[in-house]
Amino acid sequence: MTTQTIEDLIASHPFFIALGAEFTRFVAGCAKNRYAEKGEYLAHEGDEAAALFLVRRGKVSIETNIPGRGGVMVETLGAGDMSGWSWLFPPHKWTFDIKALEGTSFVELNGKCLREKCEGDPRLGYEVAKRLAGMMVDRLRSTRLRLLDLYGDHSA
Amino acid sequence: MSLGLPINVQKQVDPRQNSFVPRVFTVTGKTRETADTVTIKAHSGDGGVQLEARPGQFNMLYVHGIGEIPVSLSAVGSDGSLLHTVRRVGPVSKALGNLRIGESFGVRGPYGTHWPLESLHGRSVIVLAGGLGLAPLRPAIHHLLKFRDAFGEVGIYCGARSPADRIFASEFSRWQREKPHATGAKSIQVRVTVDRVPDQAKAAWHGEIGVVTSLLPRSISDPVNAAAMICGPEVMMRHAVQDLLQLGIAKEHIYLSLERNMKCAVGLCGHCQLSRYFVCRDGPVFSFDAVEHLLTVKEL
């Protein structure tokens, strides 16, 4: 059995697929391999947003706490998904909670480190920004479709 | 070798050779799927020949004194029974849903085009269903299960409004368990997502939350030899098609079931006209390349 390096894990994740060896090595300097137990929070709303998460296995939820209702799940993400872009945008605070719904393996990229590398190398910065923008477009489209309540009874 | 069909059906019926008089069927079973959706099992009450239907076709169901609506077959029983899954949204569907065992209703059909299952043999197949759109796909899924080895990888992806709004939920695990006989072939992947989870249901829900297209794989191994069958709200299907094209599946191998205001069901009245097509006769199942230019025309 061969052991995968952190660079391998990043390079094989859909978010960073075809990033190129040079950038992958560069980004890997900000990364560590992590595991979260079921129920463990990866991020708390309002805390400093200091990470980008590449989910490798397992499942996390994006959720928010509503008084009287507890944690309300907005979306679930699984293997191959990424989560966390608030590290790129001021004020660098999480806007939702991220919680592991089952044992979850992921690569955590330090947001401050990645931000500095993106600002130091505009080619990398543009590449990461494009990928983030693409992800946001997907999530926005999904949210809009759900807002339409397509499966509801609209016959009345 | 002929693989046959999972349901009693070997040929297309030309509906124009039939009368407009419905045949009488008797309700022999009812399954409550959700709070507003029921599956009605019915047998022919006139002793005539069994209706011959292909997966994806629909019947016109007539409730005496109320009216007639098109409803896709959600299965055909081995005993010749017909199963229709109906959501109570209008006078006729409410009346159908209220029928009791032993009561009768009228059936004309089957009508329309079907999922081209035989021509998909050898291909990997993606089945994408939203809400009640799973009903017309269920006979196709039964075919995929029965002839599992005739297909490559199979993925079934279903979206629903909430956990309580899933139809045929009790069958999902059976579909997932179905193993191919061929060595090395993969099991069917079944994934389900919901738009929202009510507070009282969140402890019991362990599936996904999100739009159904988010369940699609990010890549497939051999897109040239893959095909997809989609049924659900048309907006969902338009977006799903874009994702399937991104995966590399050809337009002519993406099939969708359209819904329009079908009345006569035989291409005469024009209520379901979609440009040069009558959905009742030329559809409801179309390949995407045939209707691509029509799906974003607001007047249609």
Side-chain angles (χ1 to χ4, degrees):
Chain A
M1 191 177 105
T2 57
T3 304
Q4 287 190 300
T5 66
I6 197 78
E7 286 177 35
D8 295 332
L9 298 180
I10 291 171
S12 62
H13 194 278
F15 184 73
F16 279 126
I17 206 87
L19 183 67
E22 179 195 355
F23 283 157
T24 302
R25 199 161 45 244
F26 202 38
V27 166
C30 300
K32 58 184 173 185
N33 196 12
R34 284 195 54 196
Y35 178 82
E37 298 285 353
K38 178 182 177 181
E40 186 179 332
Y41 282 84
L42 282 64
H44 285 284
E45 180 181 341
D47 285 357
E48 181 188 359
L52 178 155
F53 304 110
L54 306 175
V55 181
R56 297 174 49 224
R57 277 192 296 272
K59 185 160 68 174
V60 301
S61 66
I62 309 297
E63 58 180 60
T64 194
N65 187 67
I66 298 179
R69 295 174 59 188
V72 175
M73 290 189 286
V74 178
E75 190 168 33
T76 55
L77 302 172
D81 287 322
M82 66 78 65
S83 185
W85 50 62
S86 300
W87 56 272
L88 187 59
F89 307 103
H92 310 302
K93 303 282 189 193
W94 291 117
T95 52
F96 285 88
D97 297 336
I98 305 172
K99 187 172 83 174
L101 295 175
E102 55 192 61
T104 300
S105 301
F106 58 98
V107 173
E108 177 179 329
L109 291 131
N110 182 292
K112 186 165 181 290
C113 170
L114 190 57
R115 198 165 63 232
E116 287 173 355
K117 289 193 175 185
C118 287
E119 286 170 357
D121 185 337
R123 286 188 309 140
L124 172 66
Y126 181 57
E127 197 56 50
V128 172
K130 271 198 300 186
R131 288 160 193 260
L132 278 175
M135 188 64 62
M136 289 172 176
V137 167
D138 278 350
R139 300 274 171 86
L140 179 60
R141 183 184 68 148
S142 298
T143 303
R144 284 172 170 166
L145 285 173
R146 290 167 65 193
L147 279 172
L148 289 171
D149 190 22
L150 293 172
Y151 309 133
D153 176 11
H154 304 288
S155 58
Chain B
M1 179 183 75
S2 170
L3 289 171
L5 284 166
I7 54 185
N8 308 323
V9 200
Q10 296 297 333
K11 65 178 182 183
Q12 283 259 40
V13 172
D14 180 354
R16 282 167 295 191
Q17 292 176 2
N18 293 349
S19 87
F20 280 95
V21 179
R23 288 177 58 185
V24 176
F25 273 67
T26 303
V27 178
T28 53
K30 287 178 71 176
T31 304
R32 182 181 151 137
E33 304 289 350
T34 72
D36 63 2
T37 303
V38 62
T39 294
I40 301 164
K41 183 178 185 181
H43 283 83
S44 167
D46 58 12
V49 295
Q50 291 179 0
L51 290 186
E52 298 184 342
R54 287 176 170 244
Q57 288 191 298
F58 69 95
N59 283 319
M60 297 298 294
L61 306 188
Y62 171 67
V63 182
H64 307 297
I66 308 285
E68 191 182 50
I69 56 170
V71 180
S72 294
L73 279 150
S74 58
V76 174
S78 53
D79 57 354
S81 58
L82 304 181
L83 283 83
H84 296 91
T85 301
V86 181
R87 187 178 189 190
R88 295 184 178 99
V89 290
V92 182
S93 57
K94 283 176 182 164
L96 277 167
N98 290 337
L99 288 174
R100 289 172 295 194
I101 291 175
E103 292 186 316
S104 62
F105 62 102
V107 176
R108 287 197 293 129
Y111 296 124
T113 54
H114 54 87
W115 304 110
L117 290 159
E118 287 83 359
S119 70
L120 301 186
H121 285 174
R123 295 184 179 278
S124 292
V125 179
I126 287 174
V127 178
L128 192 74
L132 199 58
L134 184 56
L137 282 165
R138 188 165 71 149
I141 292 170
H142 290 164
H143 180 100
L144 293 170
L145 294 171
K146 185 168 183 179
F147 302 108
R148 177 67 191 89
D149 291 336
F151 299 92
E153 293 182 24
V154 175
I156 301 171
Y157 308 105
C158 306
R161 193 181 196 213
S162 74
D165 292 310
R166 291 169 300 151
I167 59 172
F168 314 133
S170 61
E171 293 188 36
F172 292 166
S173 55
R174 181 170 67 80
W175 297 347
Q176 179 89 58
R177 281 198 309 272
E178 191 70 25
K179 301 277 189 224
H181 302 297
T183 308
K186 292 182 179 176
S187 303
I188 291 176
Q189 184 181 44
V190 182
R191 297 185 67 196
V192 183
T193 188
V194 296
D195 281 351
R196 53 182 64 88
V197 180
D199 288 353
Q200 65 272 21
K202 63 184 182 184
W205 178 245
H206 303 292
E208 314 294 337
I209 302 172
V211 73
V212 66
T213 50
S214 67
L215 299 177
L216 287 170
R218 284 180 184 75
S219 62
I220 51 179
S221 55
D222 188 8
V224 174
N225 284 315
M229 298 185 286
I230 321 172
C231 190
E234 200 163 302
V235 179
M236 179 279 276
M237 292 198 287
R238 292 204 304 263
H239 285 267
V241 164
Q242 297 311 313
D243 290 351
L244 294 164
L245 293 173
Q246 284 274 5
L247 285 173
I249 301 178
K251 290 177 184 178
E252 61 269 29
H253 295 146
I254 298 173
Y255 299 92
L256 46 168
S257 180
L258 297 183
E259 191 173 1
R260 287 295 186 274
N261 184 23
M262 294 183 275
K263 293 289 186 186
C264 73
V266 291
L268 294 175
C269 76
H271 281 86
C272 65
Q273 187 170 0
L274 181 71
S275 187
R276 66 189 177 95
Y277 299 120
F278 291 115
V279 174
C280 68
R281 184 193 64 194
D282 305 311
V285 176
F286 292 92
S287 66
F288 177 64
D289 62 331
V291 293
E292 175 183 14
H293 59 296
L294 303 175
L295 293 183
T296 51
V297 179
K298 293 180 176 59
E299 291 77 11
L300 296 175

